[in-house]
Amino acid sequence: MKKSNKNLNRKKNMFNSIYIEEAALKYPISQYILQKYPDSTIIPIRHYKDVFNRSNQLFSIQKHNLSLILAVKDKPFLYKGPEVCQDFGHSNFYYTSFLLNCIFNCDYCYLQGMYSSANIVAFVNTEDFQNEIADAASKEPLFLAASYDTDLIGFHNLIPYMDYFYDFFKNEKNLIVEIRTKSGNQSFYEKYTPLENLIIAFTLSPKEIIERYEKSTPPLEARIKAINTALEKGFKVRICLDPIFINTEFNNAYRSFYHHIFSNVNANKITDIGFGFFRISKEFYKKIIKQPIYPNVFLEEFSENRNVITYSEKLQNETKLIHFEILKKYINEERIFTL
């Protein structure tokens, strides 16, 4: 019985092992995490890359038994927004990563080609992030994607990063922050108050795609409920229809998917929509398909365009016209952003 309870606790705690840099011990967020997961095995390390960047790691296997790595990040803390991501009309577009990797396990995720390890790296020197963000925002208005390489809201019950950044974001008037999520965590919107410069961006997919490629994520209905809770509390909400897949199996699903969304969400209350087809850098794609085990989604027929693996431009243009004819029934095209 004792063994079963321990296993239950570990399952609840999620992380069997926590690696921690010696330099990370002194930070408040490290102390919070170590107290939160008392049953985890603590392993001191010199630098997170000694564990995270080790060779011969299998991302797909490791994803089922995650360890947490607590680390102090070195500069830079801000990165220019990549061309494969929407900037939503902002010329000064940056992203940051408080966490590396995600608790969800989507088959199409680029992170499996970006990193050698599926383990989670949590950077604990939050003030250094704040200082660099504030410095950049003091020079010109800044659009900051703060949840591209992870899901901060999905992660919130494990490590509440927004507790460390919410007041900071609130006080940075020259900053617009996007938090992207697939989480159905409604309690997040009960805890915090809306900010004029904060946008919650929900990634939505048809249930057929969620069941096929997003198995560990909340179902569509849970995400829609979270959207409505966020809207009721006064949060700015963006809907991200990204990635869009083009094949005979899924093409017909999108019409009923769009109808379902906007039958349950008031389109007039939505800030805007991000729309993008499946795409991944050639470098990440090649790394993924070299793995002995990788998701079937990468077996589909794609084209290469400027070192990006995606659908052909002709196919994208044809499909986009079909999708937009449907979407324009619910929302003005001026509020739909594409690459």
Side-chain angles (χ1 to χ4, degrees):
M1 182 64 70
K2 185 176 180 180
K3 183 177 181 180
S4 297
N5 287 338
K6 186 174 182 181
N7 288 340
L8 180 63
N9 287 337
R10 286 198 164 186
K11 184 176 181 180
K12 181 179 179 181
N13 287 345
M14 188 172 181
F15 304 112
N16 286 340
S17 300
I18 298 178
Y19 296 86
I20 182 166
E21 293 179 350
E22 293 178 4
L25 274 168
K26 64 181 180 180
Y27 288 88
I29 197 167
S30 295
Q31 294 303 313
Y32 168 87
I33 292 168
L34 294 177
Q35 291 175 21
K36 184 177 177 69
Y37 302 109
D39 293 328
S40 299
T41 300
I42 308 302
I43 305 171
I45 57 174
R46 182 191 64 85
H47 195 276
Y48 81 92
K49 290 183 179 179
D50 296 340
V51 176
F52 192 66
N53 289 2
R54 286 184 307 199
S55 58
N56 301 319
Q57 298 185 84
L58 287 179
F59 194 102
S60 58
I61 300 299
Q62 203 173 55
K63 193 74 183 181
H64 300 289
N65 188 25
L66 294 177
S67 293
L68 178 64
I69 306 170
L70 303 180
V72 178
K73 192 181 186 314
D74 297 323
K75 287 186 175 184
F77 300 95
L78 280 178
Y79 303 90
K80 285 291 290 184
E83 292 183 1
V84 294
C85 298
Q86 292 103 337
D87 59 19
F88 295 93
H90 299 280
S91 58
N92 200 26
F93 166 36
Y94 284 82
Y95 76 98
T96 191
S97 297
F98 310 135
L99 290 156
L100 305 184
N101 277 326
C102 182
I103 58 170
F104 298 134
N105 188 20
C106 300
D107 285 358
Y108 53 76
C109 184
Y110 66 89
L111 295 176
Q112 60 195 305
M114 187 173 184
Y115 301 128
S116 300
S117 173
N119 288 326
I120 304 291
V121 177
F123 293 117
V124 298
N125 49 326
T126 54
E127 288 188 5
D128 292 330
F129 281 90
Q130 292 175 5
N131 290 337
E132 187 159 317
I133 293 168
D135 181 63
S138 69
K139 297 169 184 170
E140 57 181 326
L142 186 74
F143 173 57
L144 177 67
S147 194
Y148 265 179
D149 294 342
T150 191
D151 191 316
L152 288 177
I153 296 177
F155 216 99
H156 185 74
N157 291 339
L158 300 174
I159 303 178
Y161 264 92
M162 291 304 289
D163 284 357
Y164 298 85
F165 284 94
Y166 213 78
D167 287 342
F168 168 74
F169 290 154
K170 179 180 180 180
N171 294 326
E172 288 296 324
K173 304 302 182 184
N174 226 20
L175 183 67
I176 297 175
V177 181
E178 181 203 78
I179 304 293
R180 191 164 295 202
T181 185
K182 292 176 181 173
S183 176
N185 184 355
Q186 298 180 55
S187 63
F188 182 89
Y189 312 105
E190 303 284 350
K191 179 176 181 178
Y192 297 102
T193 56
L195 301 180
E196 182 62 28
N197 62 338
L198 177 66
I199 300 170
I200 310 295
F202 289 88
T203 299
L204 302 182
S205 299
K207 65 177 183 178
E208 293 87 347
I209 289 175
I210 293 174
E211 291 170 359
R212 176 72 64 84
Y213 296 145
E214 302 178 6
K215 298 182 184 70
S216 66
T217 65
L220 177 60
E221 295 309 314
R223 301 186 209 180
I224 288 175
K225 287 180 180 178
I227 287 174
N228 284 323
T229 298
L231 289 172
E232 288 167 8
K233 295 297 180 179
F235 283 87
K236 292 183 176 180
V237 169
R238 167 174 291 149
I239 289 179
C240 295
L241 306 171
D242 190 0
I244 297 290
F245 289 93
I246 307 175
N247 61 44
T248 54
E249 183 177 0
F250 295 136
N251 285 347
N252 292 331
Y254 282 100
R255 183 180 298 274
S256 58
F257 166 61
Y258 295 146
H259 175 74
H260 182 69
I261 292 174
F262 295 111
S263 295
N264 291 278
V265 176
N266 187 341
N268 294 324
K269 293 184 177 181
I270 297 298
T271 299
D272 53 35
I273 286 178
F275 181 97
F277 292 101
F278 170 81
R279 61 207 179 277
I280 188 171
S281 76
K282 182 180 179 181
E283 177 187 357
F284 296 166
Y285 176 82
K286 289 173 67 176
K287 184 177 177 182
I288 291 169
I289 62 175
K290 284 181 180 178
Q291 293 286 313
I293 303 173
Y294 60 87
N296 289 336
V297 63
F298 293 102
L299 295 175
E300 293 192 27
E301 291 188 16
F302 296 111
S303 300
E304 180 184 339
N305 183 10
R306 294 182 298 177
N307 289 320
V308 174
I309 303 299
T310 185
Y311 301 104
S312 70
E313 186 174 353
K314 179 176 182 294
L315 187 57
Q316 287 192 41
N317 288 336
E318 293 172 351
T319 306
K320 180 180 173 182
L321 285 174
I322 297 171
H323 281 250
F324 273 41
E325 282 305 308
I326 302 170
L327 286 170
K328 285 188 295 185
K329 296 177 182 179
Y330 307 104
I331 192 165
N332 294 334
E333 189 170 356
E334 292 75 20
R335 289 196 286 150
I336 306 175
F337 290 86
T338 60
L339 294 176

